[in-house]
Amino acid sequence: MQSDTVLVTGACGQIGTELVLALRKIYNNVIASDLKDATGELQDGPFERLDVLHRPGLNDLVKKHKVTQIYHLAAILSATGEKNPEFAWRVNMKGLRNILDVSMENNLSKVFFPSTIAVFGPTTPKVNTPQYTVMEPNTIYGISKQAGERWADYYFQKKGLDIRSIRYPGLISYKTKAGGGTTDYAVDIYFEANEKKSYECFLKEDTALPMMYMPDAIRGTIALMEAPADKIRIRSAYNFSGMSFAPKDVAAEIVKHMPDFKITYKPDFRQSIAESWPQSIDDSYAQQDWGWKPDFDLAKMTTDMLANAR
Ligand code: NAD
Ligand code: SER
């Protein structure tokens, strides 16, 4: 067990509920925090109510627990962000600035800040999107995360903060439902397949997007954070790839297990968000710098999701 004290913000969300449990296997003291109350296994360790927009509260909590690392997950995702852009900008930007400043003031050893494929936009090359390319995001979520990447790099370059980041693709999991993103269909489809043997998809059938199964995302996040600092060449955010598929591909995979499963399509405002994002990601920097390699493909993930998404 390592002796660092780790704070996780936004711990009640889709990633946090699984990341906290994984971190508690490595670190003696992992404090989960969120606006909401803890539920389920999160209650088995320390938990604090924390609004990341309240800087004095964040600072007090860091001092009280002698926090040495922060995983800053709290944010507003793409689809929810488009419904209230001002609010999303405030949570994503002011929340991150508070984390960065409190981390500097308290001499934290490491900070994790998740970025996203949403930092890319309609003018970005869509297939095998490179690490360094045109980035003109057109959602408030993407704009805030791209600005966040620049702040992260700035704090590393100018202030020496050891901050690390990944551009997560759409994440698929069954422990906690997805929290208001454009890729949420790829979670919901498995729950509804098990409940009703049918699903109405809010994206068109051939909308390919980069995706990843949660066990890979958790393993990759911890690998990045555990890598020696001199291996981390990128301090904005690493491209990070698992698999790539469209709704019709998931449906075809589900039909292999459930021959009477039916999918229908009723695209909504999330279609144009999805169309502005890459279809697949080139993550060769993550492979070279800290040895990234995913375990799960669509077939292996579908078997596991259908067994557990209930
Ligand atoms: P989520 O929406 O499931 O969870 C976010 C959590 O943050 C929620 O529990 C919410 O209560 C909390 N929160 C919101 N505002 C807060 C505030 N002011 N103070 C404290 N907590 C607050 O999100 P997630 O899917 O777990 O994503 C976590 C991070 O990973 C986010 O930064 C997101 O942008 C990023 N990310 C997620 C995905 C994905 O597919 N899930 C993909 C790319 C990037
Ligand atoms: N899954 C996220 C979203 O759809 C991508 O960052 O918002």
Side-chain angles (χ1 to χ4, degrees):
M1 279 285 197
Q2 297 185 36
S3 60
D4 279 68
T5 298
V6 179
L7 171 66
V8 181
T9 72
C12 295
Q14 189 194 5
I15 301 176
T17 46
E18 301 205 32
L19 183 62
V20 166
L21 302 187
L23 291 170
R24 282 184 178 153
K25 292 186 178 142
I26 304 172
Y27 296 101
N28 276 325
N29 202 5
V30 176
I31 297 128
S33 72
D34 204 290
L35 280 179
K36 304 177 196 164
D37 283 329
T39 55
E41 291 167 287
L42 276 191
Q43 297 170 104
D44 297 343
F47 183 89
E48 297 267 7
R49 288 281 290 270
L50 171 71
D51 180 349
V52 294
L53 295 178
H54 188 239
R55 184 170 156 170
L58 170 64
N59 199 34
D60 289 350
L61 201 154
V62 165
K63 285 194 188 320
K64 174 179 150 192
H65 290 279
K66 298 188 173 56
V67 169
T68 56
Q69 293 189 28
I70 297 182
Y71 286 68
H72 173 48
L73 304 182
I76 305 299
L77 275 72
S78 60
T80 309
E82 289 311 289
K83 291 179 187 157
N84 193 344
E86 287 292 337
F87 174 67
W89 176 258
R90 194 168 135 68
V91 174
N92 295 1
M93 205 76 293
K94 180 74 181 147
L96 174 64
R97 291 297 315 282
N98 284 345
I99 294 287
L100 294 172
D101 288 334
V102 167
S103 299
M104 287 305 303
E105 282 164 30
N106 291 279
N107 294 315
L108 264 64
S109 64
K110 269 185 235 175
V111 176
F112 175 75
F113 154 69
S115 188
T116 162
I117 52 166
V119 295
F120 300 113
T123 52
T124 301
K126 288 206 174 304
V127 177
N128 283 331
T129 300
Q131 176 73 37
Y132 298 106
T133 185
V134 180
M135 294 169 82
E136 295 185 316
N138 62 4
T139 60
I140 199 66
Y141 175 62
I143 295 167
S144 67
K145 288 287 184 174
Q146 191 196 42
E149 288 192 8
R150 300 322 315 152
W151 275 112
D153 193 58
Y154 185 88
Y155 269 69
F156 172 72
Q157 302 290 347
K158 308 278 179 181
K159 299 172 189 263
L161 181 66
D162 186 351
I163 183 158
R164 305 175 184 204
S165 178
I166 283 173
R167 291 173 181 150
Y168 287 128
L171 299 181
I172 296 140
S173 65
Y174 56 84
K175 290 198 174 152
T176 303
K177 291 254 186 139
T182 301
T183 56
D184 293 10
Y185 90 84
V187 174
D188 300 342
I189 194 170
Y190 290 107
F191 282 91
E192 296 208 13
N194 277 333
E195 276 165 32
K196 306 191 290 195
K197 293 188 191 303
S198 66
Y199 179 65
E200 183 178 89
C201 184
F202 60 75
L203 296 184
K204 290 182 190 166
E205 63 175 349
D206 53 358
T207 313
L209 287 168
M211 299 280 188
M212 183 178 285
Y213 199 32
M214 191 61 84
D216 275 341
I218 300 295
R219 191 171 53 79
T221 302
I222 291 173
L224 170 74
M225 289 298 277
E226 298 273 289
D230 62 357
K231 296 281 182 208
I232 309 300
R233 285 184 292 171
I234 295 171
R235 297 297 183 151
S236 49
Y238 278 92
N239 275 10
F240 185 52
S241 178
M243 58 188 101
S244 183
F245 57 75
K248 65 178 183 193
D249 304 320
V250 201
E253 204 55 48
I254 292 174
V255 165
K256 290 182 189 167
H257 298 257
M258 199 182 277
D260 48 349
F261 174 75
K262 294 272 179 288
I263 186 166
T264 52
Y265 298 94
K266 193 175 174 195
D268 65 16
F269 72 100
R270 291 168 280 194
Q271 181 64 33
S272 65
I273 299 179
E275 283 173 10
S276 76
W277 290 353
Q279 294 172 358
S280 58
I281 296 287
D282 173 358
D283 66 0
S284 41
Y285 282 89
Q287 293 173 36
Q288 286 159 22
D289 289 4
W290 42 278
W292 172 241
K293 191 169 177 291
D295 272 348
F296 282 87
D297 60 13
L298 177 58
K300 192 172 166 189
M301 175 179 79
T302 297
T303 303
D304 206 47
M305 280 297 286
L306 287 176
N308 291 292
R310 289 174 196 285

Coordinates of all heavy atoms in Angstrom, one line a residue, residues 78-80 82-83 139 180-185 188 199-205 207 209 247 264-277:
S78 N -21.1 16.6 -22.2 CA -21.4 17.3 -23.5 C -22.9 17.6 -23.7 O -23.2 18.8 -24.0 CB -20.9 16.5 -24.7 OG -21.5 15.2 -24.7
A79 N -23.7 16.6 -23.5 CA -25.2 16.9 -23.8 C -25.8 17.8 -22.7 O -26.5 18.7 -23.1 CB -25.9 15.5 -23.9
T80 N -25.5 17.5 -21.5 CA -26.0 18.4 -20.4 C -25.4 19.8 -20.6 O -26.1 20.8 -20.4 CB -25.6 17.9 -19.0 OG1 -26.0 16.5 -19.0 CG2 -26.2 18.6 -17.9
E82 N -24.7 21.5 -23.3 CA -25.3 22.2 -24.4 C -26.7 22.8 -23.9 O -27.2 23.8 -24.4 CB -25.6 21.4 -25.6 CG -24.3 21.1 -26.4 CD -23.4 22.3 -26.6 OE1 -23.8 23.1 -27.4 OE2 -22.4 22.5 -26.0
K83 N -27.3 22.2 -22.8 CA -28.5 22.7 -22.3 C -28.3 23.9 -21.4 O -29.2 24.7 -21.3 CB -29.3 21.6 -21.5 CG -29.7 20.5 -22.4 CD -30.4 19.4 -21.6 CE -30.8 18.2 -22.4 NZ -30.9 17.0 -21.6
T139 N -18.7 22.4 -29.0 CA -19.6 22.3 -27.9 C -18.9 23.0 -26.7 O -17.7 23.1 -26.7 CB -19.8 20.8 -27.4 OG1 -18.5 20.3 -27.1 CG2 -20.4 20.0 -28.5
G180 N -24.9 12.1 -18.8 CA -25.3 13.2 -19.6 C -24.4 13.5 -20.8 O -24.2 14.7 -21.2
G181 N -23.8 12.5 -21.4 CA -22.9 12.6 -22.5 C -23.6 12.2 -23.8 O -24.7 11.6 -23.8
T182 N -22.8 12.4 -24.9 CA -23.3 12.0 -26.2 C -23.1 10.5 -26.5 O -23.8 9.9 -27.4 CB -22.6 12.9 -27.3 OG1 -22.9 14.3 -27.0 CG2 -23.0 12.6 -28.7
T183 N -22.1 9.9 -25.8 CA -21.8 8.5 -26.0 C -22.7 7.6 -25.1 O -22.5 6.4 -25.1 CB -20.3 8.3 -25.8 OG1 -20.0 8.7 -24.4 CG2 -19.5 9.0 -26.8
D184 N -23.6 8.2 -24.3 CA -24.4 7.4 -23.3 C -25.2 6.3 -24.0 O -25.5 5.3 -23.3 CB -25.3 8.3 -22.5 CG -24.6 9.3 -21.6 OD1 -23.4 9.4 -21.8 OD2 -25.3 10.0 -20.8
Y185 N -25.5 6.4 -25.3 CA -26.3 5.3 -25.9 C -25.7 4.0 -25.8 O -26.3 2.9 -25.6 CB -26.6 5.7 -27.4 CG -25.5 5.1 -28.3 CD1 -25.6 3.8 -28.8 CD2 -24.4 5.9 -28.7 CE1 -24.6 3.2 -29.6 CE2 -23.4 5.3 -29.5 CZ -23.5 4.0 -29.9 OH -22.5 3.5 -30.7
D188 N -26.7 2.7 -22.3 CA -28.1 2.5 -22.2 C -28.6 1.2 -23.0 O -29.4 0.5 -22.6 CB -28.9 3.7 -22.7 CG -28.6 4.9 -21.9 OD1 -28.0 4.8 -20.8 OD2 -28.8 6.1 -22.4
Y199 N -34.2 -1.2 -28.2 CA -33.6 0.1 -27.8 C -33.8 1.1 -29.0 O -33.6 0.8 -30.1 CB -32.1 -0.1 -27.6 CG -31.4 1.2 -27.2 CD1 -31.7 1.9 -26.1 CD2 -30.5 1.8 -28.1 CE1 -31.1 3.1 -25.7 CE2 -29.9 3.0 -27.8 CZ -30.2 3.7 -26.6 OH -29.6 4.9 -26.2
E200 N -34.2 2.3 -28.6 CA -34.4 3.4 -29.5 C -33.2 4.3 -29.4 O -33.0 4.9 -28.3 CB -35.7 4.2 -29.2 CG -35.9 5.3 -30.3 CD -37.2 6.0 -30.0 OE1 -37.1 7.0 -29.3 OE2 -38.2 5.6 -30.6
C201 N -32.4 4.4 -30.4 CA -31.0 5.0 -30.3 C -31.2 6.5 -30.7 O -31.8 6.8 -31.8 CB -30.1 4.3 -31.2 SG -28.4 5.0 -31.1
F202 N -30.5 7.4 -30.0 CA -30.6 8.8 -30.3 C -29.5 9.3 -31.3 O -29.4 10.4 -31.6 CB -30.6 9.7 -29.0 CG -29.3 9.5 -28.1 CD1 -28.1 10.0 -28.5 CD2 -29.4 8.8 -26.9 CE1 -27.0 9.9 -27.7 CE2 -28.3 8.6 -26.1 CZ -27.1 9.1 -26.5
L203 N -28.7 8.3 -31.8 CA -27.7 8.6 -32.8 C -28.1 7.7 -34.1 O -28.7 6.7 -33.9 CB -26.3 8.2 -32.4 CG -25.7 9.1 -31.3 CD1 -24.2 8.6 -31.1 CD2 -25.8 10.6 -31.5
K204 N -27.7 8.2 -35.3 CA -27.9 7.4 -36.5 C -27.1 6.1 -36.5 O -26.0 6.1 -35.8 CB -27.6 8.2 -37.7 CG -28.5 9.4 -38.0 CD -28.0 10.1 -39.3 CE -28.8 11.4 -39.4 NZ -28.1 12.2 -40.5
E205 N -27.5 5.1 -37.2 CA -27.0 3.8 -37.1 C -25.5 3.7 -37.5 O -24.8 2.9 -37.0 CB -27.7 2.8 -38.0 CG -27.7 3.1 -39.5 CD -28.4 2.1 -40.4 OE1 -28.7 1.0 -39.8 OE2 -28.6 2.3 -41.5
T207 N -23.1 6.1 -37.0 CA -22.3 7.2 -36.4 C -21.2 6.5 -35.6 O -21.3 6.2 -34.4 CB -23.2 8.0 -35.4 OG1 -24.4 8.4 -36.2 CG2 -22.4 9.3 -35.0
L209 N -17.9 6.2 -33.3 CA -17.2 7.0 -32.3 C -16.1 6.2 -31.6 O -16.3 5.0 -31.5 CB -18.2 7.6 -31.3 CG -19.2 8.7 -31.7 CD1 -20.3 8.9 -30.7 CD2 -18.4 10.0 -32.0
P247 N -23.6 2.6 -33.7 CA -24.7 1.9 -33.0 C -25.1 0.6 -33.7 O -25.4 -0.4 -33.1 CB -25.9 2.9 -33.2 CG -25.2 4.2 -33.1 CD -23.9 4.0 -33.8
T264 N -34.1 0.6 -33.0 CA -34.6 1.6 -33.9 C -33.9 2.9 -33.7 O -33.1 3.0 -32.7 CB -36.1 1.9 -33.6 OG1 -36.3 2.2 -32.2 CG2 -37.0 0.7 -34.0
Y265 N -34.0 3.9 -34.6 CA -33.2 5.1 -34.6 C -34.1 6.3 -34.6 O -35.0 6.4 -35.4 CB -32.2 5.1 -35.8 CG -31.3 3.9 -35.7 CD1 -31.6 2.8 -36.4 CD2 -30.1 4.0 -35.0 CE1 -30.7 1.7 -36.4 CE2 -29.2 2.9 -34.9 CZ -29.5 1.7 -35.6 OH -28.7 0.7 -35.6
K266 N -33.8 7.2 -33.6 CA -34.5 8.5 -33.6 C -33.5 9.6 -33.2 O -33.4 10.0 -32.0 CB -35.7 8.4 -32.6 CG -36.6 9.6 -32.7 CD -37.8 9.4 -31.8 CE -38.7 10.6 -31.8 NZ -39.7 10.6 -30.7
P267 N -32.7 10.0 -34.2 CA -31.6 10.9 -33.8 C -32.1 12.3 -33.2 O -33.2 12.7 -33.7 CB -30.9 11.2 -35.1 CG -31.4 10.2 -36.1 CD -32.7 9.7 -35.6
D268 N -31.4 12.8 -32.2 CA -31.8 14.1 -31.6 C -30.6 15.1 -31.7 O -29.7 14.9 -32.5 CB -32.4 13.9 -30.2 CG -31.4 13.4 -29.2 OD1 -30.2 13.4 -29.5 OD2 -31.8 12.9 -28.1
F269 N -30.6 16.1 -30.8 CA -29.6 17.1 -30.9 C -28.2 16.5 -30.7 O -27.1 17.1 -31.1 CB -29.8 18.2 -29.9 CG -29.6 17.8 -28.4 CD1 -28.4 18.2 -27.8 CD2 -30.5 17.0 -27.7 CE1 -28.1 17.8 -26.5 CE2 -30.2 16.7 -26.4 CZ -29.1 17.0 -25.8
R270 N -28.1 15.3 -30.1 CA -26.7 14.7 -29.9 C -26.1 14.2 -31.2 O -24.9 14.0 -31.2 CB -26.9 13.6 -28.8 CG -27.2 14.2 -27.4 CD -27.6 13.1 -26.5 NE -29.0 12.7 -26.6 CZ -29.7 12.0 -25.7 NH1 -29.1 11.6 -24.6 NH2 -31.0 11.7 -26.0
Q271 N -26.9 14.1 -32.2 CA -26.3 13.6 -33.5 C -25.3 14.6 -34.0 O -24.2 14.2 -34.4 CB -27.5 13.4 -34.5 CG -27.0 12.9 -35.9 CD -26.3 11.5 -35.8 OE1 -26.8 10.7 -35.0 NE2 -25.3 11.3 -36.7
S272 N -25.6 15.9 -34.0 CA -24.6 16.9 -34.5 C -23.4 16.9 -33.6 O -22.3 17.2 -34.1 CB -25.3 18.2 -34.7 OG -25.6 18.8 -33.5
I273 N -23.5 16.7 -32.3 CA -22.3 16.7 -31.4 C -21.5 15.5 -31.9 O -20.3 15.6 -32.1 CB -22.7 16.5 -30.0 CG1 -23.6 17.7 -29.5 CG2 -21.5 16.4 -29.1 CD1 -24.1 17.7 -28.0
A274 N -22.1 14.3 -32.0 CA -21.3 13.1 -32.4 C -20.6 13.3 -33.7 O -19.5 12.9 -33.9 CB -22.3 11.9 -32.4
E275 N -21.3 14.0 -34.7 CA -20.7 14.1 -36.0 C -19.5 15.1 -36.0 O -18.7 15.1 -36.9 CB -21.8 14.7 -37.0 CG -22.7 13.5 -37.4 CD -23.9 14.0 -38.3 OE1 -23.9 15.2 -38.7 OE2 -24.8 13.2 -38.5
S276 N -19.4 15.9 -34.9 CA -18.3 16.8 -34.8 C -17.0 16.1 -34.3 O -16.0 16.7 -34.2 CB -18.6 18.0 -34.0 OG -18.6 17.7 -32.6
W277 N -17.2 14.9 -33.8 CA -16.1 14.2 -33.1 C -15.4 13.2 -34.0 O -15.9 12.8 -35.0 CB -16.6 13.5 -31.8 CG -17.1 14.4 -30.7 CD1 -16.9 15.8 -30.7 CD2 -17.8 14.1 -29.5 NE1 -17.5 16.3 -29.5 CE2 -18.0 15.3 -28.8 CE3 -18.2 12.9 -29.0 CZ2 -18.6 15.3 -27.6 CZ3 -18.9 12.9 -27.8 CH2 -19.1 14.1 -27.1

